[in-house]
């Protein structure tokens, strides 16, 4: 019952805001691939976030996402890992995780959030073509996604105009105006 006790101790410390102590206990459970291991990695990631260590939080969320026990923790961990990868400037890892998330959880209540982050990555990397394709597949865009869509259609329209593809440019600039 050692691993259960270690988890309970770590979780109690985590609940009390003693994140450094909780981290020490959760780290000892990082080789487990059962429900205790998955929960420990999930809470470890959050404890790392509370101590402002995004890189270690990202690694812990990745570990929790790999454990196929609690589907909700697995899903949320994958999305959090993708968002942290983006925040850490690891765009290719973030894109890969977000595309995996979108494929794996197409009906999730968090799907638009995942698509929005992916759209932001494409926008900041100036990959307007892929950003437009992704954003056009999002039904009921929120205000932030509408603004992102407006910007990427505008910039892609400018690219088309510079390539002397005036018909394509006009269509994209009109989409930008409509949004």
């Amino acid at each position: 019952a050692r691993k259960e006790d270690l988890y309970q101790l770590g979780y109690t410390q985590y609940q009390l805001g003693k994140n450094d102590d909780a981290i020490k206990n959760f780290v000892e459970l990082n080789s487990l691939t059962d429900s205790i291991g998955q929960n420990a990695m999930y809470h470890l990631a959050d404890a790392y976030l509370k101590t402002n260590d995004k890189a270690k939080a990202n690694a812990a969320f990745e570990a929790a996402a790999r454990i196929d026990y609690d589907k909700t923790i697995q899903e949320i961990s994958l999305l959090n890992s993708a968002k942290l990868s983006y925040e850490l400037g690891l765009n290719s890892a973030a894109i890969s995780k977000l595309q995996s998330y979108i494929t794996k959880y197409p009906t999730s209540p968090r799907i638009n959030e995942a698509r929005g982050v992916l759209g932001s990555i494409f926008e900041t990397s100036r990959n307007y073509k892929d950003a437009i394709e992704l954003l056009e597949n999002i039904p009921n865009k929120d205000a932030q996604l509408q603004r992102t869509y407006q910007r990427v259609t505008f910039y892609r329209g400018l690219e088309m105009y510079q390539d002397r593809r005036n018909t394509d440019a006009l269509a994209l600039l009109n989409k930008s105006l409509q949004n």
Side-chain angles (χ1 to χ4, degrees):
R2 168 125 172 73
K3 67 182 183 179
E4 289 88 354
D5 295 341
L6 199 56
Y7 175 76
Q8 284 302 325
L9 177 60
Y11 187 72
T12 300
Q13 293 163 328
Y14 165 82
Q15 291 287 82
L16 294 171
K18 296 180 179 191
N19 292 303
D20 291 329
D21 294 329
I23 287 168
K24 289 175 191 157
N25 288 306
F26 288 145
V27 164
E28 287 192 43
L29 302 169
N30 72 357
S31 64
L32 300 178
T33 57
D34 58 6
S35 66
I36 291 173
Q38 187 182 41
N39 276 286
M41 291 306 95
Y42 181 77
H43 291 102
L44 174 64
D46 195 48
Y48 277 134
L49 282 178
K50 290 176 179 170
T51 61
N52 214 18
D53 192 336
K54 289 182 179 182
K56 286 184 179 173
N58 187 21
F61 276 131
E62 280 180 8
R66 279 194 301 272
I67 298 172
D68 194 18
Y69 194 82
D70 182 314
K71 301 295 184 195
T72 303
I73 290 176
Q74 191 175 34
E75 175 192 340
I76 292 169
S77 295
L78 179 57
L79 182 58
N80 286 339
S81 176
K83 292 189 312 191
L84 282 170
S85 294
Y86 175 49
E87 288 178 31
L88 293 165
L90 307 170
N91 285 356
S92 61
I95 289 169
S96 173
K97 290 172 187 177
L98 287 163
Q99 288 174 326
S100 172
Y101 182 90
I102 290 166
T103 302
K104 205 169 180 179
Y105 306 105
T107 60
S108 167
R110 292 171 279 280
I111 193 71
N112 283 351
E113 181 183 2
R115 287 177 172 146
V117 174
L118 192 54
S120 295
I121 295 170
F122 288 146
E123 181 182 6
T124 56
S125 67
R126 295 194 163 102
N127 184 345
Y128 305 125
K129 180 178 179 279
D130 287 347
I132 290 168
E133 185 178 321
L134 180 85
L135 291 165
E136 284 180 345
N137 286 315
I138 300 176
N140 309 320
K141 294 173 198 55
D142 64 17
Q144 180 188 349
L145 287 177
Q146 290 279 26
R147 285 191 295 277
T148 301
Y149 185 71
Q150 181 185 24
R151 285 193 303 272
V152 297
T153 52
F154 175 76
Y155 289 123
R156 182 68 176 150
L158 290 182
E159 287 177 344
M160 294 285 106
Y161 178 74
Q162 289 166 348
D163 290 344
R164 291 184 165 51
R165 293 173 57 187
N166 294 343
T167 306
D168 293 334
L170 186 61
L172 286 161
L173 292 171
N174 279 330
K175 282 183 182 183
S176 179
L177 285 172
Q178 291 165 4
N179 287 282

